[in-house]
Amino acid sequence: MRTKISELRQGRKLTQQQLAEAVGVTRQTIISMEQGKYNPSLLLAAAVTRALGLRFIEEVFIIDENNK
Amino acid sequence: MIGKPQWFIRRKYTGWGLTPKTWQGWVYILGFCVAPLLLVSALSFDEEVKLTAIGIWVGVILADVIHVMLSIKVDERERLHEAIADRNALWSIMLMLTLAMVVYAVRNPGSQVPSEVWPIIVALFGGLAVRVVSFLWLSRHD
């Protein structure tokens, strides 16, 4: 699943480690999500969205037909 | 309990268990695990008393290590990788033990209960190797 985590994170001047600590995961998990290699659970996706100061998961995670 | 989860990380590539992350973790390993066992072995007590003391201390340490392992926070991705790697390791252990039983039955026809330990040791090391390979593959491919 493609994501905008990297751009949004950098826009808020957050490091991967800081975002990881805010969400409660490891830095490696953040890296995997940014690279689109790992599809998070709904809870984790919501936690990342909140940590980036946004309301909707779709603002962070790009859900399209190819994700099925 | 004695150990704290923030002193350790869970092993991924070197087997099952804990690896010290801080100096407190090393003190725990050396001070609570190794030193008492060496001390009891060195003291001139009755063998039965020594064995009982060692047995009790090993039980306490084992319970503590299990408590620490269960307390270490693992995120969902790591938990998933661990579950897959442990599943693969378990299947490979079962497969190797089955093969070892077949080999034993072929070499010792008529014998019912295998008395050799090598199949278990080979199966455990094989399971460990499969676990490491699984972790390496998962870390690359997620």
Side-chain angles (χ1 to χ4, degrees):
Chain A
M1 187 189 300
R2 288 183 298 130
T3 73
K4 297 180 196 167
I5 297 175
S6 182
E7 305 92 78
L8 292 166
R9 175 181 59 77
Q10 288 171 44
R12 284 151 181 76
K13 306 255 188 299
L14 287 172
T15 62
Q16 288 172 336
Q17 184 62 39
Q18 287 169 329
L19 181 59
E21 283 170 13
V23 173
V25 297
T26 61
R27 189 174 142 259
Q28 189 55 51
T29 299
I30 297 294
I31 292 170
S32 292
M33 284 194 287
E34 286 184 357
Q35 292 174 347
K37 284 185 180 179
Y38 177 67
N39 292 337
S41 66
L42 187 57
L43 279 175
L44 179 54
V48 171
T49 304
R50 261 201 310 277
L52 291 170
L54 298 167
R55 280 188 68 193
F56 302 106
I57 290 175
E58 289 84 356
E59 294 177 276
V60 182
F61 297 90
I62 301 164
I63 303 166
D64 57 30
E65 285 298 310
N66 294 330
N67 288 144
K68 292 183 185 174
Chain B
M1 299 301 264
I2 308 168
K4 291 192 180 351
Q6 52 265 39
W7 298 346
F8 303 96
I9 51 174
R10 285 160 83 111
R11 287 187 172 192
K12 276 167 74 169
Y13 304 110
T14 51
W16 290 272
L18 302 170
T19 301
K21 191 171 75 172
T22 63
W23 65 267
Q24 294 96 331
W26 285 108
V27 168
Y28 176 87
I29 297 291
L30 295 171
F32 289 106
C33 298
V34 177
L37 297 175
L38 289 176
L39 187 66
V40 168
S41 304
L43 290 173
S44 54
F45 287 137
D46 190 27
E47 281 304 313
E48 210 174 296
V49 171
K50 275 190 197 177
L51 278 174
T52 306
I54 289 172
I56 290 171
W57 192 246
V58 166
V60 167
I61 291 297
L62 203 61
D64 200 47
V65 165
I66 291 171
H67 174 257
V68 170
M69 281 186 73
L70 292 175
S71 303
I72 290 178
K73 285 187 183 174
V74 180
D75 71 21
E76 63 175 49
R77 180 178 154 274
E78 285 184 329
R79 199 178 310 123
L80 182 65
H81 285 191
E82 214 172 77
I84 293 170
D86 283 340
R87 179 206 63 190
N88 294 347
L90 190 59
W91 274 111
S92 71
I93 288 171
M94 290 198 314
L95 183 67
M96 278 186 248
L97 280 175
T98 306
L99 284 172
M101 297 279 281
V102 168
V103 165
Y104 183 87
V106 166
R107 284 167 64 180
N108 303 281
S111 174
Q112 288 189 350
V113 180
S115 58
E116 296 167 17
V117 178
W118 66 262
I120 298 172
I121 296 172
V122 168
L124 282 174
F125 275 103
L128 178 60
V130 166
R131 190 173 191 260
V132 170
V133 168
S134 298
F135 266 123
L136 287 170
W137 193 90
L138 286 164
S139 65
R140 279 190 156 197
H141 298 91
D142 258 314

